[in-house]
Amino acid sequence: MTGQPVLDVRGVTKTYGMGETEVQALRGMSLTVRRGEYLAIMGSSGSGKSTLMNILGCLDIPTSGRYLLDGVDVSRLTDRQLALVRNRRIGFVFQAFNLIPRTSALSNVELPLAYAGMKAAERRRRAMAALSMVGLADRARHEPNQLSGGQQQRVAVARALVTAPALVLADEPTGNLDTHSSAEVLAVLDRLNRSGRTIVLITHEADVAAHAKRLIRLVDGQIVEDTR
Ligand code: ADP
Ligand code: MG
């Protein structure tokens, strides 16, 4: 089930440095991702994946072109406004789980809700719901070091979901996991997509990318393949 564009990238370029040292990391890229899509981005090292991910995730802005996230033109927002968009509209999952040590899974998942001044009981309720979605309701009181790698990454996925973001952006989410744990995390992402979440998955592994329903391949800062 697809609908409105969640991501709308129009002729985006990104240039690092100037003159002699100038690097064109993205060379005029256009891409539309609709609600409910499950997209994998692949490409060899240096092809521009991280640059694109930083722009999609509002961690950086394009040199030229426009980027609309959930209908909002983020190309020219201030750092402060970008931070707000990041917090509310995007759920990040990184290769390193980035959980806070000696802190329960539940508290880790609650963290992104603290900004809004949400009442503690409501934060707790939403965090429990997100942990249930990744199949970890019974591990809510466990701390990261009491969980397997796959479980820790599922907590990170729950944390990404808890704000009900327009987009879940996963950068090599299985890069640090063994085969069994990878399968666990990918099963969760698959299930989230079946329930209507929009997922963009950056990976260099073809078997991970195969979980997505659409594949974009980058070469030298350009899209050379876009298949469904
Ligand atoms: P990937 O993630 O696919 O490996 P990147 O987006 O990291 O590719 O890099 C794309 C190109 O931009 C590469 O040539 C890289 O060297 C260059 N690049 C990336 N970040 C910077 C930076 N901060 N300053 C200068 N060049 C950069
Ligand atoms: Mg990279």
Side-chain angles (χ1 to χ4, degrees), residues 136-150:
L136 287 176
D138 59 342
R139 297 289 192 280
R141 301 288 163 187
H142 289 231
E143 295 177 4
N145 67 357
Q146 300 168 322
L147 298 168
S148 72

Side-chain angles (χ1 to χ4, degrees), residues 43-51 53 171-172 202:
S44 56
S45 178
S47 59
K49 299 185 301 297
S50 293
T51 301
M53 148 98 187
D171 189 11
E172 298 279 2
I202 296 176

Side-chain angles (χ1 to χ4, degrees), residues 133-219:
M133 268 190 261
V134 301
L136 287 176
D138 59 342
R139 297 289 192 280
R141 301 288 163 187
H142 289 231
E143 295 177 4
N145 67 357
Q146 300 168 322
L147 298 168
S148 72
Q151 288 171 337
Q152 289 181 62
Q153 190 63 305
R154 281 152 63 198
V155 172
V157 171
R159 181 184 55 189
L161 285 175
V162 76
T163 56
L167 169 70
V168 174
L169 198 48
D171 189 11
E172 298 279 2
T174 60
N176 282 354
L177 298 176
D178 60 39
T179 312
H180 174 76
S181 296
S182 292
E184 243 176 55
V185 168
L186 289 168
V188 165
L189 293 179
D190 293 352
R191 188 147 41 80
L192 290 174
N193 177 250
R194 281 200 300 276
S195 73
R197 301 283 177 154
T198 311
I199 299 175
V200 172
L201 173 66
I202 296 176
T203 182
H204 65 273
E205 294 171 87
D207 55 337
V208 172
H211 283 255
K213 293 174 185 153
R214 179 180 172 194
L215 171 70
I216 296 264
R217 203 179 292 277
L218 300 188
V219 173

Side-chain angles (χ1 to χ4, degrees), residues 8 10 20 37 44 52 54 70 74 88 100-101 111 118 120 137 157 166 169 176 180 207 221:
D8 192 354
R10 302 183 189 168
E20 296 283 284
E37 281 202 271
S44 56
L52 179 59
N54 287 343
D70 212 16
V74 297
R88 305 217 171 151
I100 298 172
L111 207 68
M118 189 181 285
V157 171
L169 198 48
N176 282 354
H180 174 76
D207 55 337

Side-chain angles (χ1 to χ4, degrees), residues 21-90:
T21 63
E22 189 174 285
V23 176
Q24 284 193 290
L26 298 181
R27 301 165 186 264
M29 186 168 290
S30 295
L31 170 68
T32 304
V33 176
R34 291 184 186 281
R35 200 164 299 287
E37 281 202 271
Y38 190 173
L39 175 79
I41 298 175
M42 293 194 78
S44 56
S45 178
S47 59
K49 299 185 301 297
S50 293
T51 301
L52 179 59
M53 148 98 187
N54 287 343
I55 289 173
L56 296 182
C58 298
L59 297 158
D60 202 356
I61 53 170
T63 303
S64 67
R66 298 214 316 155
Y67 169 41
L68 288 85
L69 169 63
D70 212 16
V72 177
D73 188 344
V74 297
S75 307
R76 283 166 192 83
L77 295 184
T78 64
D79 286 351
R80 208 188 143 77
Q81 291 168 321
L82 281 175
L84 207 62
V85 169
R86 269 198 306 274
N87 189 296
R88 305 217 171 151
R89 296 184 197 254
I90 305 168

